[in-house]
Amino acid sequence: MTNDQGHLMIKTALHAGRLMIENGSEIARVSDTISRIASNAGYPDSKVYVTITGIMMSVSGEENAQIEPVTSRSIDLEKITMVNDLSRDFADHKITLAQFEEQLTVLDHHSHYFPLWIQLLSAGIVSGALEVVFRHNYPDFLVTCVIGLIGWGIFYVINRVAKIRFLSEFLASAAIGTLAILAVRYHLGTNADDIIIGCVMPLVPGVPLTNAVRDILSGDLVSGIARGMEALMSAIAIGSGIAMILQAV
């Protein structure tokens, strides 16, 4: 293999790994995907070290390692699936390494994430449905859907502007608490607690918490603890926003 081929392999593998971490993949899956890309490209003895903030990779026989930083994290499981599909296509020789890297670049710059109106509608339906499931409060279903939709919209807008997830969760949960109390006060709802429980569910960091447990169980202690702290901070932000409003009333 030429040096150019090795450089392209590392660039492609790191690019794929970064996309997977940024969109919510667990560390074991990222490490396995990178190793498979390297092996299918003709470098079975490559070394890789993956954390949620960066990836380090080297080629056996070469002195230098390359590092790919991970600066943002969100949840987009569709992107993870698309990266895995590209990796399988490369393993089956349906695409070349250069085409693999080119398609990763396209995927990186052209988000396939759902449009805002679908996110809002989904957040509203999930909020109302979970309020019924957890609290069996059917009369508050519609008002919970509306407040959950508004809460997710506030989270989305603030997160896009400030790019601080914890601040977005805090303000969105505070808005949810305020609207729930007002809804009950003006006889649009019957129980503020039930409405709040349903509306905050779309904000709960379920995927990060699940990945934290999976990373710890698979031996990735650094990443598992880091993800766990991230999920804990999100939970504290949500709880603090609700508690502040309930305390003020």
Side-chain angles (χ1 to χ4, degrees):
M1 296 290 181
T2 64
N3 290 335
D4 290 342
Q5 181 74 0
H7 177 76
L8 180 59
M9 183 279 294
I10 293 179
K11 180 182 178 181
T12 303
L14 291 178
H15 196 172
R18 176 175 61 81
L19 280 174
M20 295 180 71
I21 295 177
E22 285 181 345
N23 292 283
S25 177
E26 67 274 20
I27 298 301
R29 182 189 297 270
V30 176
S31 181
D32 180 68
T33 299
I34 292 176
S35 298
R36 288 178 183 275
I37 292 172
S39 179
N40 292 325
Y43 296 89
D45 297 326
S46 297
K47 304 296 187 293
V48 59
Y49 177 71
V50 183
T51 69
I52 64 169
T53 56
I55 309 170
M56 180 182 297
M57 186 176 186
S58 66
V59 175
S60 299
E62 299 287 340
E63 296 182 354
N64 297 326
Q66 293 190 29
I67 300 175
E68 181 79 12
V70 180
T71 57
S72 64
R73 286 180 297 279
S74 62
I75 305 298
D76 190 344
L77 302 183
E78 185 178 8
K79 272 193 175 182
I80 298 173
T81 300
M82 295 177 73
V83 172
N84 282 329
D85 289 341
L86 289 174
S87 177
R88 295 187 185 97
D89 288 342
F90 175 65
D92 295 336
H93 306 289
K94 296 179 180 178
I95 58 175
T96 64
L97 191 60
Q99 291 172 331
F100 191 178
E101 167 60 21
E102 181 180 350
Q103 293 189 43
L104 287 175
T105 301
V106 172
L107 180 62
D108 197 4
H109 290 89
H110 297 83
S111 175
H112 292 267
Y113 208 61
F114 295 105
L116 178 58
W117 72 270
I118 293 182
Q119 296 182 48
L120 293 174
L121 182 61
S122 300
I125 294 174
V126 167
S127 298
L130 292 180
E131 184 268 337
V132 171
V133 169
F134 292 146
R135 309 299 295 179
H136 306 289
N137 186 346
Y138 293 92
D140 287 342
F141 172 78
L142 289 178
V143 69
T144 303
C145 289
V146 173
I147 295 176
L149 182 151
I150 295 172
W152 182 263
I154 293 172
F155 166 77
Y156 179 89
V157 171
I158 297 175
N159 198 44
R160 289 290 297 268
V161 174
K163 299 186 183 301
I164 303 175
R165 182 178 179 88
F166 306 123
L167 176 63
S168 306
E169 291 167 336
F170 174 80
L171 294 177
S173 61
I176 287 171
T178 302
L179 292 172
I181 292 172
L182 290 176
V184 173
R185 181 170 299 175
Y186 290 100
H187 307 291
L188 298 174
T190 61
N191 191 307
D193 292 342
D194 293 352
I195 296 172
I196 290 172
I197 289 172
C199 293
V200 299
M201 293 310 295
L203 302 177
V204 172
V207 174
L209 184 60
T210 302
N211 284 341
V213 174
R214 294 183 66 173
D215 287 343
I216 291 174
L217 292 178
S218 63
D220 297 305
L221 300 181
V222 174
S223 297
I225 294 173
R227 284 189 193 271
M229 288 301 300
E230 187 176 35
L232 178 62
M233 289 297 294
S234 293
I236 291 174
I238 295 169
S240 298
I242 297 296
M244 182 186 70
I245 298 302
L246 294 179
Q247 187 71 23
V249 175

